[in-house]
């Protein structure tokens, strides 16, 4: 066993070596961060976005709703298209037409998750 002072000195030496290596290679970090950013955003989106298996049975796509396949698709309820309405700097999301005086804006349907009440 090493004495506490010797252990502290070895830890300090290791930290100095790691810091020196980080400083020596710091000019490459920006390139690596730029390459990793899109991958990290996609990974975070997949981790935080609920999948179709977390939806209630009446909200699942026809291909997953009880194995009905193409036959059950005709009787499945139609899911309304979500809309983004902006009026006086206030944004409202709805499946109905926008109220009078508001402006409807484009909405990426993949970015909307609705939960039952």
């Amino acid at each position: 066993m090493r004495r506490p002072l010797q252990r502290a000195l070895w830890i300090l030496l290791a930290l100095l070596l790691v810091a020196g290596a980080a400083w020596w290679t710091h000019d490459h970090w920006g390139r690596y961060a730029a390459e990793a950013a899109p991958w990290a955003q996609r990974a975070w989106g997949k981790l935080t976005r609920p999948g179709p298996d977390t939806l209630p049975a009446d909200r699942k796509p026809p291909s997953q709703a009880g194995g009905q396949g193409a036959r059950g698709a005709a009787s499945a309820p139609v899911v309304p298209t979500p809309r983004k309405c902006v009026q006086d700097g206030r944004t409202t999301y709805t499946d109905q037409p926008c109220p009078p005086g508001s402006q409807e804006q484009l909405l990426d349907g993949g970015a909307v998750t609705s939960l039952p009440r």
Side-chain angles (χ1 to χ4, degrees), residues 27 43-44 48 52 61 76 84 100-102:
D27 56 335
W44 181 254
T48 58
K84 179 179 180 180
S102 65

Side-chain angles (χ1 to χ4, degrees), residues 23-43:
W23 176 80
W24 188 266
T25 60
H26 75 279
D27 56 335
H28 298 290
W29 292 2
R31 180 173 46 122
Y32 296 138
E35 292 172 1
W39 174 84
Q41 288 174 347
R42 283 192 308 272

Side-chain angles (χ1 to χ4, degrees), residues 16-88:
L16 288 173
L17 285 173
V18 169
W23 176 80
W24 188 266
T25 60
H26 75 279
D27 56 335
H28 298 290
W29 292 2
R31 180 173 46 122
Y32 296 138
E35 292 172 1
W39 174 84
Q41 288 174 347
R42 283 192 308 272
W44 181 254
K46 288 179 182 177
L47 287 172
T48 58
R49 183 174 298 150
D53 57 332
T54 61
L55 295 174
D58 61 334
R59 295 278 207 163
K60 287 189 179 184
S63 62
Q64 294 181 354
Q68 293 174 350
R71 287 181 291 160
S75 64
V78 176
V79 178
T81 305
R83 299 169 188 244
K84 179 179 180 180
C85 307
V86 178
Q87 183 177 15
D88 300 327

